[in-house]
Structures are given as C-alpha cells and as structure tokens.
Amino acid sequence: MPIQSILDGKYEDKSVAIRGWVYRKREGKQTIFLVVRDSTGVIQCTVKADSPAWSEAEKITIESSLTIEGTVKKDQRAPGGYEVSAEKLSVIGLADVFPISKDKSEEFLRDIRHLWLRSRRMNLVMKVRADVLEFTREFFKDQGFVEVSPPMFISAAVEGGSTLFGLKYFDQNLYLTQSSQLYLEILIYSLEKVYCIAPSFRAEKSRTIRHLTEYWHIEGEWPFADMNDLMQFEEELLAHVCKRAAEKCGKEFEELGADTSKVASVETPFPKITYTEAVERLKAKGIERKWGEDFGYDDEKALADEFGKPFFVYDYPTAIKAFYCKTYRNHPEVAMSADMLVPRIGEISTGGAREDDKDVLIKRIREMGLSEKDYDWYLDLRRYGTVPHVGFGMGLERLLTWMLDLENIIDSIPFPRTIRRFYP
RNA sequence: GCCGCCGUAGCUCAGUUAGGUAGAGCGGCUGGCUGUUAACCAGUCGGUCAUAGGUUCAAGUCCUAUCGGCGGCGCCA
C-alpha cells in the first residue's frame, strides 16, 4: 500500500506490505532503522535483531529497492508518527554506494540530475508541475477551448528571429519551433478557441536563472476578441491556477518552503499600465527611458517591485514588437500587445491582437525586412475570411519558478536544457 | 555577444593574502553502541590540487594559455 496511506493512520496495528527505496539507514546493535520512500511519502521501518528481516536489513544500502512486510505502530519517536515494524524484508535491487549525501553542490546535482530527481524536493516540484498543467487545462476547457497539437518541426521563423535552432531534415534545413502561435492562428478558423501546451525552443545564449533553451509554452488563440478580452482571460487563467494550487498543493508548497499566501492572494483584475505609463513611472524612479525604447530586465524589476504581484504592461511601441502585432489604426506607432510580469522573474507571458488586415500585414512583413514568400500560408488566413483575433503565450517554467519561489528555473522541469546542460 | 566568479579526496570545503612535507568534515570500510531522527564514538582507506606550459633551489599557491562550470547584462517566455 502507498506509504502516505499508512502515515494517514489508516493501518494502525495492522499488517502492511510496502515497496519502495531506502531513503536513510541508521544502524544500532539491537535495531536497524530504515527510512523507506515511495512516490507518496517516506516512513520509518524498524528491524529488530531477532526479526527474520535482520540479515537482509544489515546488508541493504541507501537507494536499494525493497519490499517490507510488517506491522504498523503509532510511535512518537518515529518521524511522521507511524512506523512499520518489519517482519519480512526482500531486497529487489541492491544499490551501489549512492553518490548523493548531505553535502552537495548545485554543480554536482546537475551532473547527476538523473539521480537527484529521486529527491524529496524534486518529487514535490514535479507534482506541483503536474497539478499546474492540470489546472491550466481545466481552465481552458471550462472556457470552451479545444486543445490542439502543433508541430515542433517548422520551415520558417515564427518571429523572424535569429534564435532558432536549425536542424537537418533529410536533405532540407528545418527549425525547431519557438512558438506555436502561427499554427494556432490556422486552427481558429475551424475550432475557434484553441490552446496548446507544447515545447518551444530558443537558441538564445542567455545565462540566467529564468532561461531555458527548451521550455513548455502555454499558448491560447481565439477569434472575435480584443485586448480587454485577452488580458481578462490571462489574468483569470493565472488566478484560477493559483487558487487551485493554494487549495490542492498546500503540503507541497510548505515542504518546499514556499508561501501559499502569495498564490492564494492572487485576485483579478490585475493592475494594468500602458507602456507610456510605465515609462513615466520609471522616470519618477529616476530611470530615464525614451518612448520607443524597449525595457530591460532591470526596468521590469523596478516596475514589478512597485506592484509586488502580477501585472500587465500593454500597448507597446510597434517598432519593438513582432510583425504580426496588430496596430491601432489611428495610432500605427502603437501595437496592441500586452506582457504579464511578475516580481523577480519579469515577463511570464506575452500576448496581443494579431494583424488581420492582409495589406497591413504585408506592409509590416516588408518593413521588418522579412520575406513575404515565407509567410504565404499565413497571409492566406487573411485572404479567406479574416477575423480579428488575439492570443498569448505563457512560460510554464517561469510560472512555476514564480509560484514556488524556486531559486532557478531549471528546477521547474525534470530535464532542463540550458546553453551548457543537456544530459541526461 | 559583453562582464564577473569558480575548479584541491566519491561529496562539501580549508590551504592561495605572504611559494617551503596535501588537510578537515561527510561518505566507504572495520570495530563499538538498548530507539535512531541526514545518529553517535574509535580506527582506517582515499589525491593527475581541471589541463598544458612558464618563473623559481622549491608552485595547490605566482605568470600565460586552454578546457569545464556558475551567475549578471543583452535577448526573451
């Protein structure tokens, strides 16, 4: 039975059988204490010198897999309050000396990530990650969205960026996607409200605690909507995920040393300021930014410190936004775009209205120095029943890093890929 | 792309200021211990001081180059 069910007190004074791995071993002349873990929790097992399990217990090592049969006893001396008095112990896989002990560095743990993933800490983070994915899908589904599966191999740049990973595709050159947005835009013409949770790849040589080269992108796209609809959807999505996490993941947050009150207190509507207001606020802080300049991380941090919670900056200058961003018809220098920012991490989401006028889009593609030919199918979407639409992309790992107050984004994903790390 | 920091035992580190016999704790192994809480006590094993070159009577320590890692900025989610 699951270890957690024993810790919940369901088997007091009853016979149980557990299976798992040795987490700690403490040896005395009369008693061997084995702390055993499974996916649900950890429990202390005692093996007495006169128990038939003694000889097996003596030779077992940390991280060996085993089964134990015994009797559950309530005992205040045991961590967790319950322990299993072992009567039978079978070693399944005897472990070599486990390299991870109490002294460990970030670097070492990254080198042996395949073993570090067994840790209590990573176990907890991965459970919260799974729950956050579930809460996200829950929200999209409630709002009538259809989950779709975009391609990872793509033939042309999504944003015309130089940050694409190229690869050999038989005898052609292809890229790994850096956003599924353009493909979601195709699907709104039939399914209307669509979303995906899929990897995005960025060949940016960033060395920070908030960048991965492969990350999971939560993207939504839907027609007949404007900027207000977009920001409202995004803030409600985040609020839903945070509220559900506060309800369901309290234990995980606590064990990870994260504060649930932060996510529990996320409420809509979020503060929203325009790019122009942001420039003014920065000016008031003594940070001079000319209108039209993009914000750096320090600028975002200064703004985020002021709010201390998630907020939006919207209506950015067209010049610093991608070609597909829709512009205000009476103010073409301003793009209908919105970034969601959180303290410490900065941007966790970017979204906006997409240009739906074929001629304006062609003009923008040319202005950005891109080739019209590469976007033929994208332009087709504007030729056949174009429709105003909006969409956004949110970084799952940035969201988790913020929610759980992780020191580094790499711990929000089991197998992080960074500029230097891709093993295992 | 720019800037900063780090590399000594399986692991965590001291030793680098001011060149002079390679150290500790943890882990392993051996023994001890009547209930431990990442146990404790004693003993013991364990080294290409990242690599290459240079200075010097003498280099872990100083100099040069290279390799590897971490972080900050830029860029981005």
Side-chain angles (χ1 to χ4, degrees):
Chain A
M1 49 277 294
I3 285 171
Q4 187 60 50
S5 67
I6 298 171
L7 295 171
D8 289 342
K10 289 178 192 161
Y11 295 98
E12 192 173 343
D13 298 323
K14 298 220 171 89
S15 290
V16 293
I18 59 171
R19 52 193 178 188
W21 291 263
V22 178
Y23 187 58
R24 301 277 184 265
K25 181 183 181 183
R26 293 182 282 273
E27 222 165 337
K29 199 177 185 184
Q30 305 292 322
T31 315
I32 294 172
F33 298 93
L34 295 177
V35 181
V36 175
R37 64 170 181 84
D38 70 4
S39 64
T40 66
V42 294
I43 193 164
Q44 174 165 292
C45 302
T46 58
V47 184
K48 296 288 186 184
D50 58 1
S51 163
W54 179 262
S55 64
E56 291 288 281
E58 260 191 315
K59 68 182 190 198
I60 206 163
T61 49
I62 301 271
E63 283 303 310
S64 293
S65 50
L66 81 175
T67 59
I68 284 181
E69 291 172 37
T71 310
V72 175
K73 292 188 177 142
K74 193 167 189 173
D75 194 321
Q76 289 198 331
R77 295 170 298 185
Y82 291 91
E83 65 182 18
V84 176
S85 179
E87 283 130 33
K88 197 175 161 200
L89 191 165
S90 308
V91 177
I92 299 169
L94 187 67
D96 288 354
V97 176
F98 201 61
I100 301 175
S101 61
K102 72 172 181 181
D103 296 316
K104 52 207 183 267
S105 64
E106 269 294 311
E107 181 175 358
F108 181 59
L109 295 179
R110 291 180 198 203
D111 287 343
I112 49 158
R113 157 121 324 207
H114 52 294
L115 300 176
W116 178 235
L117 283 166
R118 300 181 183 194
S119 68
R120 189 82 190 125
R121 179 174 175 80
M122 290 309 296
N123 191 1
L124 293 164
V125 175
M126 291 310 131
K127 282 181 182 167
V128 175
R129 179 185 169 102
D131 283 335
V132 165
L133 281 167
E134 190 182 317
F135 304 149
T136 302
R137 290 199 164 94
E138 205 171 72
F139 185 79
F140 273 112
K141 196 179 173 196
D142 286 350
Q143 301 292 315
F145 279 67
V146 176
E147 182 167 6
V148 298
S149 305
M152 303 295 106
F153 288 138
I154 59 160
S155 54
V158 170
E159 311 201 10
S162 57
T163 58
L164 287 161
F165 283 107
L167 60 95
K168 275 271 177 281
Y169 187 82
F170 304 109
D171 52 355
Q172 311 244 348
N173 294 316
L174 289 190
Y175 306 95
L176 290 175
T177 185
Q178 53 183 192
S179 164
S180 299
Q181 178 200 321
L182 270 50
Y183 294 91
L184 295 186
E185 284 190 65
I186 295 176
L187 293 164
I188 63 166
Y189 289 83
S190 50
L191 297 166
E192 297 196 18
K193 297 176 175 180
V194 296
Y195 79 101
C196 68
I197 301 175
S200 280
F201 305 88
R202 303 271 167 108
E204 295 155 1
K205 293 187 175 176
S206 306
R207 315 189 48 87
T208 78
I209 56 154
R210 58 186 188 283
H211 283 88
L212 294 166
T213 53
E214 176 183 22
Y215 67 96
W216 285 71
H217 217 163
I218 300 165
E219 293 179 277
E221 199 78 28
W222 65 106
F224 310 111
D226 62 20
M227 286 294 288
N228 287 330
D229 300 324
L230 173 75
M231 286 191 275
Q232 192 185 338
F233 184 93
E234 281 193 63
E235 67 195 5
E236 281 174 5
L237 166 64
L238 190 74
H240 174 83
V241 169
C242 286
K243 182 173 142 260
R244 295 282 283 122
E247 283 166 11
K248 198 182 162 196
C249 308
K251 250 168 59 183
E252 284 81 3
F253 271 69
E254 193 185 335
E255 256 194 87
L256 286 166
D259 189 3
T260 41
S261 70
K262 180 172 80 184
V263 289
S265 69
V266 170
E267 280 182 5
T268 58
F270 290 1
K272 301 179 184 72
I273 58 171
T274 63
Y275 168 88
T276 306
E277 283 166 11
V279 169
E280 281 161 14
R281 281 179 188 250
L282 288 173
K283 196 173 185 175
K285 291 173 183 293
I287 305 168
E288 286 294 335
R289 285 280 168 270
K290 272 189 211 131
W291 199 97
E293 264 184 305
D294 205 355
F295 296 139
Y297 177 64
D298 291 339
D299 304 327
E300 288 175 1
K301 205 156 60 180
L303 291 168
D305 286 347
E306 201 175 321
F307 291 108
K309 56 183 181 181
F311 66 101
F312 285 99
V313 178
Y314 66 104
D315 286 358
Y316 279 85
T318 304
I320 57 173
K321 285 288 163 184
F323 73 91
Y324 52 71
C325 274
K326 189 172 182 174
T327 52
Y328 288 93
R329 297 295 99 119
N330 50 346
H331 292 289
E333 73 284 2
V334 180
M336 300 179 193
S337 60
D339 287 357
M340 189 195 286
L341 296 95
V342 297
R344 199 167 81 90
I345 310 298
E347 295 172 38
I348 62 165
S349 151
T350 293
R354 319 307 193 186
E355 184 53 67
D356 48 67
D357 184 294
K358 176 173 63 78
D359 296 329
V360 177
L361 187 57
I362 289 172
K363 195 173 148 244
R364 291 278 295 138
I365 287 173
R366 287 179 184 159
E367 276 171 10
M368 305 290 275
L370 302 170
S371 165
E372 206 178 308
K373 221 175 59 195
D374 288 342
Y375 298 94
D376 207 27
W377 63 255
Y378 192 63
L379 289 165
D380 264 359
L381 306 178
R382 280 72 186 168
R383 288 189 183 102
Y384 305 106
T386 193
V387 66
H389 61 287
V390 298
F392 70 95
M394 186 178 289
L396 172 64
E397 289 78 14
R398 286 195 176 174
L399 173 61
L400 284 164
T401 303
W402 172 73
M403 288 177 73
L404 289 170
D405 257 328
L406 301 177
E407 278 181 25
N408 192 310
I409 197 167
I410 66 165
D411 283 339
S412 64
I413 186 166
F415 305 103
R417 267 73 177 109
T418 66
I419 182 170
R420 290 273 180 237
R421 298 277 182 178
F422 34 79
Y423 171 95

